[in-house]
Every structure is written in structure tokens, then in C-alpha cells.
Amino acid sequence: MTRASDSGTRSRLETKPLLAALRGEVMAPPPIWLMRQAGRYLPEYRALRAETGSFMDLCLDPESAAEVTMQPIRRFGFDAAILFSDILMIPHGLGQRVRFEEGQGPVLEALKGPPDLARLSLEGLEDRLSPVYAALRLLRGRLPAATSLIGFAGAPWTVASYMIEGGSSRDYAQSHRWMAAEPAGFARLIEMLVEATARHLSDQVEAGAEALQIFDSWAGALEEPLRRRWCLEPTAAIVRRLQARHPAVPIILFPRLAGALYADYAALPGVAALSLDSGLDRGWAKRVLRPRVALQGNLDPAVLVTGGPALTRAVRGILADFGDGPFVFNLGHGILPETPIDHVEALIAQVRSARP
Ligand code: CP3
């Protein structure tokens, strides 16, 4: 493990704190960014969203996507900007119709069975997603020098669940039915997503992303051995492909609610960090995961809504548990729309006042 101070002329200011932590350096204070840091809790986001047509239009207009990405950077000075986009850009890139309904979330033209895979195609992927890469190229020139640019995608299982269920789901019943009744067809969908996701992430790096995060938000919805087969293995295949193409780009994995399987994610070659959900035991994470990867997380987004002494206590606990190793402060899941702005300000002040 190297430290910034070992490298002679490279001062802390010349090093991007997020990239340093992901390389294994112990930073005090640790870098901080928040999942879904651009979004409805920001009045400037709500204003721009009201002006732009649909959520998809916002994601697919490079100037708007770059502007929304910058909003939380300007307001809070986070250590990383995460490209404003969505994990459902991949189904869009494959030719599935995706829209977002007010108050309902995403609506997709559901895949009813393997024959519907014929409606999807990897051919036009890069063309359909080209506005995403244009947004990254715009951001490269706009970010402060110490701010890192994160690209992202959903993991195959989480994305497949939206493609099959046609939107958010409580029970993933149709996906389970595919897995059980049509395992070869389900495997073909997952393989197509591995290919699309590896290409999409690689193209984001070529457009300027300096680190990548893969969101498997619904990893917790599958039990073993399905979690290993449909969450871990496809993610490992994507990581292998990215490693081969871009060995220097750090990869953060977020297999939310994957429990003990987090240890298998930590063992994958080429993974820089794991993003921990709020329920994961920090003592276990420190013992089992930290010898292999940097840790990111894991403040409960609901505690950020609560604020006050509960927030202070939670932040102190996380810093005490993780602050002595390579660490990135973050939430355990996306920020909630009802989060008060002054709670985010208080959080950043508390994290930034952390001393070695
Ligand atoms: O973190 C960031 O600031 C970058 C942007 C980002 C968005 N979605 C913007 C968004 C990221 C990283 C995502 C990831 C994403 N999208 C995930 C994985 C992370 C997670 O939270 O579990 C998932 C499951 C999705 C799919 C998705 N997108 C859903 C289910 C919804 C509807 C629910 C909701 O929160 O509204 C979205 C919409 C969405 N994606 C919004 C934003 C800011 C809200 C859209 C609006 O303005 O109405």
C-alpha cells in the first residue's frame, strides 16, 4: 500500500482524494460522495427537470446531463461527480422501450420470454448511448481539478429484473419463473447484458470516466445458489473484461444486501472497492473485506433524513470503524428525495473535520 507522502513531489492537492483512496491510500479526512447525489432533493434539479421533457430526455441530452452532474459538485464540493444517467440506459441501448412515469418509476415493454430476446440487439448500442459519452466529454473540462469523475452501470441481474418485470418489482416473480423454466433463455439475456455492460463501461472510460461503479441494487432478492450464479458470476465476467482493457481504472462494486457473498466479491481480481449497504456488519467487513479492497459506505439514507444527534452518532461510528483504512464515505443506498439540504451540509462538515 502506498501513501501520498511517499511519492515525494506529489502533494495532497495534486492527488484526487477519491482515486487515492481507491488505490489503497488511507486519507484523513476520507473522500466523500453520495449515491444519487444529483436528484430530486436539490431544488436546482427539480427546476431543470421541470423545464426538460422526460427523464429519458434529460439523460440523453449531453448538455443537461452534464449540468445536472455538476449541480451537487457546485453546491457541496463532493470529491467525486457521478455521471447523471441511469442503469436503464442499457435496455434503451439494446432497443427496449423505456420511459419513466411520474410517481410510478420506470416502465419498460416487458420481455415475456426468450423469444422476445429477438427484439433486442447489441448492434446499435454505442450509437444509441452516444449522448452519455458526449456528457462525459463535456464534464472532463468542467470539473474542479481534485474532483474525480465516476461512470456507472447496473449489474446484469438488476437490469434484467427491470427488463423482465417491466418496472420495479416486489417479488421478481416473472424473473424467477424465467430462471426456473427457461434457464438457457435467461442465461442468454444475462450474457447479452454482460457484453453490453462491459462495452458501455469501457466506452465511458474512453470518454473520461476515471473510476467505475457497478450497481447490483437487487442482489439481495436472490438466494444462494442463484445469487452466486446470476449476480457474482456475471459481474466477475464484466470485471475481467474491464481489467483486460483498462487495468488502471478502479472498479467499485455494490452488490446491495448480498451478505456473506460480499467476501467473494472482494476476492475478485481487479476490484478496487466494495460499496457496503447499511445493514452489513462493519466489524465483519473490516476483518474479512478490508484486507483485499477499499471500503465505501454505509450511512443509512434514512438517518440522513433524520439529521441531528442521530446523524452525528452514526457518522462518528462509521469514521471510528473505517477511518483507519482506505475508505470512501458514502450512503448505504441512494439519497432519499425528502433529504434536507442542511443535513447534507452537516454530514460533509462532520466527515471533513475527521483527523487521523
Ligand atoms: O447517483 C447519481 O446522482 C447519478 C444518477 C443515478 C440515477 N439513477 C438517476 C435517477 C444513478 C447512479 C442511478 C442508478 C439507478 N437507477 C439504480 C441503482 C441504484 C439504486 O438506487 O439502487 C436503479 C435501481 C435505477 C432505476 C431507477 N431509476 C428507478 C427505480 C427510478 C425510479 C425511482 C426513483 O427514485 O424515482 C429511477 C429514476 C431516477 N434515476 C431518478 C434519478 C435522479 C429520479 C427521476 C426523476 O427525476 O423523477
Side-chain angles (χ1 to χ4, degrees):
M1 229 173 253
T2 56
R3 283 174 174 268
S5 56
D6 294 340
S7 57
T9 53
R10 192 183 51 179
S11 78
R12 173 86 202 255
L13 275 178
E14 290 163 330
T15 314
K16 297 194 176 198
L18 176 87
L19 297 181
L22 295 178
R23 273 197 305 268
E25 294 177 25
V26 183
M27 310 293 285
I32 176 171
W33 68 279
L34 302 181
M35 289 192 260
R36 297 273 196 112
Q37 63 192 18
R40 283 163 298 185
Y41 76 109
L42 291 176
E44 56 271 37
Y45 172 82
R46 294 195 299 269
L48 201 127
R49 176 85 166 76
E51 271 171 33
T52 320
S54 67
F55 176 73
M56 288 301 279
D57 291 340
L58 188 59
C59 291
L60 291 169
D61 174 52
E63 195 51 61
S64 305
E67 169 56 24
V68 175
T69 305
M70 288 302 292
Q71 287 175 345
I73 304 305
R74 274 192 220 111
R75 189 186 266 273
F76 303 115
F78 287 119
D79 293 292
I82 180 162
L83 167 70
F84 186 80
S85 186
D86 200 86
I87 64 165
L88 300 180
M89 284 297 132
I90 292 224
H92 167 78
L94 292 172
Q96 191 172 21
R97 209 166 297 151
V98 181
R99 60 197 165 83
F100 287 80
E101 292 283 324
E102 211 55 56
Q104 194 190 338
V107 181
L108 294 83
E109 205 173 13
L111 303 175
K112 303 233 177 308
D116 283 350
L117 294 177
R119 302 205 313 248
L120 307 178
S121 162
L122 283 157
E123 295 271 307
L125 187 78
E126 279 80 5
D127 274 352
R128 282 168 165 273
L129 298 182
S130 61
V132 174
Y133 315 127
L136 285 164
R137 286 192 295 270
L138 288 175
L139 282 162
R140 220 165 25 183
R142 295 185 188 173
L143 285 170
T147 312
S148 306
L149 182 53
I150 303 177
F152 75 93
W157 153 247
T158 290
V159 174
S161 80
Y162 286 97
M163 296 174 80
I164 293 173
E165 308 291 336
S168 302
S169 173
R170 192 164 290 174
D171 49 21
Y172 307 91
Q174 296 308 318
S175 309
H176 276 99
R177 189 185 58 74
W178 267 55
M179 273 177 224
E182 313 267 11
F186 188 76
R188 267 201 292 140
L189 171 58
I190 294 289
E191 276 157 27
M192 188 184 256
L193 288 169
V194 166
E195 169 78 23
T197 308
R199 271 160 54 174
H200 184 44
L201 289 170
S202 178
D203 288 345
Q204 289 182 55
V205 170
E206 275 148 33
E210 301 168 290
L212 297 170
Q213 178 155 326
I214 302 177
F215 290 83
D216 213 351
S217 303
W218 313 124
L222 294 184
E223 288 171 23
E224 291 286 19
L226 297 176
R227 186 180 293 167
R228 182 174 298 273
R229 175 66 187 94
W230 301 119
C231 298
L232 179 71
E233 288 178 13
T235 300
I238 294 168
V239 171
R240 277 197 300 275
R241 295 188 37 168
L242 290 168
Q243 268 293 100
R245 271 196 88 123
H246 304 288
V249 174
I251 300 172
I252 309 167
L253 301 180
F254 179 45
R256 183 168 162 265
L257 300 174
L261 201 63
Y262 260 98
D264 295 69
Y265 284 91
L268 298 177
V271 173
L274 291 181
S275 199
L276 313 180
D277 59 74
S278 307
L280 202 71
D281 183 82
R282 287 200 293 272
W284 180 84
K286 199 168 161 164
R287 250 184 358 266
V288 177
L289 308 179
R290 197 162 83 175
R292 311 191 78 128
V293 292
L295 301 178
Q296 173 175 281
N298 71 343
L299 181 70
D300 186 340
V303 174
L304 188 57
V305 175
T306 307
L311 175 62
T312 305
R313 229 176 7 255
V315 172
R316 272 201 203 122
I318 291 171
L319 290 171
D321 287 337
F322 289 156
D324 59 344
F327 175 54
V328 178
F329 202 101
N330 207 315
L331 299 171
H333 197 192
I335 193 166
L336 295 165
E338 62 268 36
T339 305
I341 299 236
D342 56 329
H343 294 184
V344 178
E345 288 166 352
L347 165 67
I348 295 170
Q350 286 169 32
V351 171
R352 293 244 161 103
S353 67
R355 292 289 167 266

